[in-house]
Amino acid sequence: MKFVFVGAGRLATQLSQALCAAGHEVTAVYSRTMTSAEGLASIVGGVATDSIGSLPLHADAFIIAVKDAVITQLLSELIPDRSQEAFFHTAGSIPMSVFATAGASRYGVIYPMQTFSKERKPDFHKIPVFVEANNDETLRLAHYIAESVSDRVTELPSDDRRHLHLAAVFASNFVNHCYALSAQILEAHGLTFDTMLPLIEETAEKVKTMHPLDAQTGPAVRFDEQVIAAQSSLLAEWPMVREVYDLMSKSIHASKNPQPSTPQR
């Protein structure tokens, strides 16, 4: 199949390479900066452009992999001359209906749920990919594309995908920020973050076989107020981090010790 990629960021870089490895072809790459478009095109092939008007009018599918904030404006430029083409965006929180508003007739979502960087090449076959489409024919196309790169493809409507993306923010983005806060505390006292790696690895291994609630440890589980107060005071110079610590401790305790619901009268 022949694809046009609209976007040349981290997700586009990895997905386009996975599709090429599966035997597909990228015929064009768009980015708002020519440097980015040329950078990805040099890897996967195709014509690089920073102009929507210069993109081909036809392809087996147009893959939209850009920032959420620019999708609506971009589609208003892309679709009018290509309204009969198949379009798929890759965003976690943008509803599929964004295409209908722009006048597309064949559209859907191919959402790989993973954190991506340009430097690290993931094993795409292990990545869960969630798909939906506006009709049966386009849904079959979405499945075909996704299943050519992933062994874990699931149909999921837009509203559920939004909640999936929210859960992913907690499981990845917020966790990584906690790593950054940990590094900040360590480095302020002459320690290096690699000290945490065995702990991080064991925590990640545990939740492969245990529910996260059962894997939770630490003073907040039992709400050891003396330890929590002492640790919180160590963060006096970083009031926002201290607030995160205090709120997280309360949240952990509440999740492990849920209050009984009030009987309905």
Side-chain angles (χ1 to χ4, degrees):
M1 296 186 69
K2 294 184 178 181
F3 294 94
V4 169
F5 264 80
V6 181
R10 290 171 293 186
L11 192 157
T13 296
Q14 299 301 342
L15 178 55
S16 62
Q17 289 184 83
L19 288 168
C20 288
H24 301 296
E25 179 184 352
V26 174
T27 61
V29 176
Y30 163 85
S31 177
R32 63 184 183 85
T33 63
M34 183 59 81
T35 300
S36 295
E38 289 176 340
L40 182 52
S42 69
I43 298 171
V44 297
V47 176
T49 182
D50 59 359
S51 169
I52 291 292
S54 298
L55 286 173
L57 295 177
H58 304 289
D60 291 309
F62 287 75
I63 307 293
I64 317 299
V66 296
K67 293 180 180 179
D68 291 5
V70 303
I71 288 180
T72 299
Q73 177 59 39
L74 189 149
L75 293 182
S76 70
E77 301 174 24
L78 179 69
I79 289 177
D81 293 332
R82 306 170 180 85
S83 60
Q84 301 306 307
E85 301 300 304
F87 297 92
F88 297 97
H89 77 60
T90 58
S93 294
I94 300 297
M96 180 176 65
S97 59
V98 69
F99 288 110
T101 304
S105 59
R106 301 165 57 212
Y107 53 85
V109 177
I110 299 174
Y111 170 53
M113 195 194 69
Q114 183 56 278
T115 176
F116 292 103
S117 62
K118 290 186 178 182
E119 298 78 15
R120 288 179 58 85
K121 192 170 184 177
D123 183 351
F124 227 98
H125 288 284
K126 296 180 180 179
I127 297 175
V129 179
F130 298 87
V131 301
E132 66 172 324
N134 71 315
N135 58 50
D136 290 342
E137 178 187 0
T138 310
L139 183 59
R140 285 193 293 272
L141 177 59
H143 268 282
Y144 176 76
I145 295 168
E147 288 167 4
S148 71
V149 297
S150 173
D151 297 330
R152 302 180 61 184
V153 178
T154 305
E155 292 179 28
L156 195 70
S158 289
D159 187 59
D160 289 336
R161 178 168 36 82
R162 290 170 60 215
H163 287 86
L164 174 74
H165 189 225
L166 172 61
V169 167
F170 275 93
S172 177
N173 304 136
F174 287 178
V175 169
N176 190 73
H177 183 60
C178 286
Y179 295 161
L181 297 181
S182 174
Q184 178 181 340
I185 294 167
L186 290 166
E187 290 162 6
H189 295 276
L191 300 168
T192 57
F193 183 68
D194 59 4
T195 307
M196 294 291 120
L197 295 182
L199 176 62
I200 291 169
E201 291 168 1
E202 176 61 17
T203 302
E205 283 298 316
K206 281 201 296 185
V207 296
K208 292 179 180 179
T209 57
M210 300 172 65
H211 191 283
L213 281 176
D214 297 327
Q216 188 71 58
T217 61
V221 171
R222 58 190 180 274
F223 211 68
D224 188 328
E225 294 186 71
Q226 184 173 350
V227 173
I228 291 172
Q231 291 188 337
S232 179
S233 68
L234 295 176
L235 298 169
E237 295 181 4
W238 298 316
M240 184 175 292
V241 179
R242 184 176 188 173
E243 186 177 352
V244 170
Y245 176 89
D246 292 343
L247 188 58
M248 189 79 78
S249 296
K250 291 177 183 177
S251 180
I252 290 171
H253 181 69
S255 68
K256 291 289 288 185
N257 302 274
Q259 297 297 312
S261 58
T262 303
Q264 297 293 319
R265 298 194 177 194

